[in-house]
Amino acid sequence: MDAESTGAATAYRYAVRGLMGLGASDGTLDDPSENYVEKEHEDALVEGGLLLALQHCFVARVASHNHFRQYAQALEAYAESAARGSIYEILFAQWTPPALAFHHCIASAACILDGTHPDPEAGRAALDATREQFGPFAETNPTIFAHMKLLLDAEAAALDGNELDAIGLYDDAIDRARADSFLNDEALSLERAAMFHERGGRSRIARQYRRDARNRYETWGAAAKVAQIERELGETTAWQTSTHSTILKPVRAGATSLDMASVLKAALIVSGEGEMDRLLRRSMEILVENAGVGRGVLLLSDGAGLLPSAVSQLGGADARTLVGAELTDVSYPQAVGDYCRRTRDPVVLAEATQDALFGTDGWITEHKPRSVMSVPILNKGRLIGILYVENNLSAGAFTTDRVGVLQALCSQIAVSIENARLFHQQKKMTDAFAQFVPQELLERLGRNSVVDIERGDAVGRDITVLFSDLRDFTSMSEGMTARENFKFLNNYMERMEPAIEAHKGFVDKYMGDAIMALFSRTSDDAIASAVEMHSSLQRYTSSARARARPPSPWASACTTAPPSSAPSARPAGRVDTTVIGDTVNLASRLEGLTKRYGSNLLVSDDALRQTEAPEAFLTRHAGRVRVKGKKLAATVHEVLNADPEPLRDAKMETLDLYRAGTEAYYGKAFPDAAEQFRKALEGCPKDTMVAYWMGRSVEASERPLPEGWTGIEELTSK
């Protein structure tokens, strides 16, 4: 274990030793027999900056004082804990803050009732606040919190003088703690009920509650508490060692100490595991080690039945734990497991082969295990699974005490298994949502998950938008079946998306054969991505898989400006996320303009000017355009890097002629412009951009120019 876990486990260990009569047994954690001093341990934790372990020490102290009915000291320990900082911040997402709050309220109620509380109003306020907090806890996780909430309600009723309510609530808390296998809290509730009846003058009833508390503390292994109650009752009961037990009674309580430490260790370890295979591996190691067995099998419910989910072998060269896909052939006495599943009661066989009910089971007859035990794993009364363990060396290896410890371990593990399943389901849902709502877009909105989105969330950011699609795909798709269309588009998209992700962009939308991608770092990323997408498409077109149905020519366009990322609500309550703004509109229009120019890649002047490495791109002026509804025109450039290499080289060789032609055109020297473009076209006959400009020049020379002519093209449609 790490330093934090070791520091916490040490405190709990000495709290357990104190309850067992091996330590100071006065509510403190001091243990003279092992030279352990609580204050020195806490100082060492403070010096080492181990605040989490320190707060666990306070939890152990407050609970220990409560069990020994030292309520004033419990309040002092809690106050010292609060002075160290908020336990909810230090112990975030652990089980200890509720445990500390619970024990603080028990101590507060006790001190208010006996008149020793330094601030009764504050104590009552803390009790009411914790009761309110525990309400939802008890509803969502009743196995852990229901008995706690009932006991706090009983204390509140006692403070209010509602004796009939208090009597019922104390008994309900006792019964629920017993049903959920919380021996410690059952004993605590019995003692609190005994004190309540004593204050009401019902001494004979109180005496019976104390006897019941003494019996539960005995089962728990708390010898010091048993001795305390027996002294008060004037009664003594001899404790004998079980003849077949591997766990000795408190007169030789070392083994039980180790078992209680395992319960605490399980709580610390498994509560922090969210991944199922790791959780099962750690859980089985703890269970099998604590049971002292040779072999254990964990079976979990899948809704239809029980399936082996983990197997652990203890000791020897074969010691191992297998989970999930590692499991192959797993066998166990199914009759024992089925009985445990049906009755939801533990099954313990002291000598399996001689057992009257199960001794003739085929598996037991063949494998001849000595001691066998099967324990149900329950959560909120629902069967989660079954733990089967066996010991092949000795008979009677599983005593009642050991069954109790394993049940406590299984209760904690059941909660952790359910949490891991919920975590896995949540992850699947998140991954499914990510297919429709890009995580990168959520990050731009400052949200961690799609569930955090509020309708109307929006943020303005500089971003480069890339539009691309296949030309004439509609006419081509008419010759394909629906299945062929989807297969073709999936193959196509699979080749486009990696180029986008490689340059730190993400796909905002798929629109048929069109892609809208966003880039928030630099416009270099968007342009380089478009170039790589074109190269990838060229490789795909030449592949044997695509030759039977080659795709249409491909085109894309990029532009940069500050649009808004926002979710927009639909009337039916559905929410979509997207990017809106002039940038999106312009990028879409430029992508449509590629068809008019016959270009593979166009970029706006804004996008080109904001590149950090403009020398990486071969560009030439493509025109000036104005989108419908806008007053300002946009300058457009063609990126030659997206062309096949022979065409790109030919365009570069005629670049001077091309530039001379555009300068003549904007200077209204249209015949000269047409001549320059004609020469450029002779040098590169496949240059559709040159052909387009030559046509514009001839057309402009043959008719009068409108007043205020600037050479800007008006884009009235995509």
Side-chain angles (χ1 to χ4, degrees), residues 464-469 471 515-519 523 526-527 529-531 533 554-560 583-595 597 599-604 607 636-639 642 718:
T464 302
V465 180
L466 182 151
F467 265 94
S468 73
D469 76 353
R471 293 186 193 143
I515 297 174
M516 175 179 166
L518 308 177
F519 299 82
S523 55
I527 299 172
S529 175
V531 171
M533 290 166 73
W554 175 89
S556 61
C558 304
T559 186
T560 301
T583 311
V584 181
N585 185 31
L586 179 59
S588 176
R589 297 299 179 90
L590 293 187
E591 187 278 319
L593 196 60
T594 60
K595 185 174 182 179
Y597 291 166
S599 301
N600 287 321
L601 174 57
L602 296 177
V603 299
S604 69
V636 184
H637 303 271
E638 181 185 25
V639 180
K718 182 176 177 181

Side-chain angles (χ1 to χ4, degrees), residues 107-121:
S108 293
C111 289
I112 293 172
L113 287 166
D114 65 18
T116 61
H117 199 293
D119 189 346
E121 290 186 5

Side-chain angles (χ1 to χ4, degrees), residues 241-289:
T241 301
S242 173
T243 353
H244 301 292
S245 178
T246 57
I247 300 177
L248 303 181
K249 297 297 184 182
V251 289
R252 296 175 60 191
T256 306
S257 158
L258 293 175
D259 291 337
M260 293 307 301
S262 292
V263 176
L264 298 170
K265 178 180 177 182
L268 287 170
I269 292 176
V270 302
S271 63
E273 290 288 359
E275 198 276 320
M276 183 63 79
D277 281 357
R278 286 202 304 269
L279 169 63
L280 295 180
R281 191 181 302 278
R282 300 301 296 276
S283 298
M284 278 301 290
E285 289 169 354
I286 293 169
L287 288 168
V288 172
E289 176 185 353

Side-chain angles (χ1 to χ4, degrees), residues 23 33 66 117 133 170 179 185 313 316 342 380 388 410 415 523 596 613 619 630 665 672 716:
S33 66
N66 275 350
H117 199 293
Q133 182 186 48
Y170 277 122
D185 290 340
Q313 185 79 33
R342 289 195 307 272
K380 303 178 184 178
Y388 166 80
C410 287
V415 174
S523 55
R596 181 184 299 185
T619 63
K630 303 299 292 183
Y665 179 85
D672 184 39
T716 58

Side-chain angles (χ1 to χ4, degrees), residues 202-219:
R202 298 175 291 275
S203 58
R204 294 183 64 182
I205 296 176
R207 191 174 184 84
Q208 187 56 51
Y209 274 98
R210 285 204 187 280
R211 287 195 184 102
D212 289 345
R214 173 235 173 265
N215 292 337
R216 302 316 286 162
Y217 276 121
E218 177 184 1
T219 303

Side-chain angles (χ1 to χ4, degrees), residues 367-437:
H367 293 85
K368 295 181 173 51
R370 298 292 305 276
S371 300
V372 163
M373 175 169 59
S374 184
V375 180
I377 302 173
L378 303 171
N379 184 29
K380 303 178 184 178
R382 186 165 58 87
L383 186 73
I384 300 298
I386 287 174
L387 170 68
Y388 166 80
V389 291
E390 63 187 40
N391 187 316
N392 296 323
L393 300 178
S394 60
F398 305 122
T399 65
T400 303
D401 287 347
R402 193 175 289 276
V403 173
V405 171
L406 284 176
Q407 283 182 304
L409 283 169
C410 287
S411 294
Q412 175 64 41
I413 289 169
V415 174
S416 297
I417 288 173
E418 284 295 275
N419 290 341
R421 283 175 169 169
L422 289 172
F423 174 79
H424 177 67
Q425 184 64 25
Q426 182 62 41
K427 186 177 184 303
K428 286 177 64 177
M429 291 294 293
T430 301
D431 291 344
F433 273 125
Q435 297 180 55
F436 301 96
V437 181

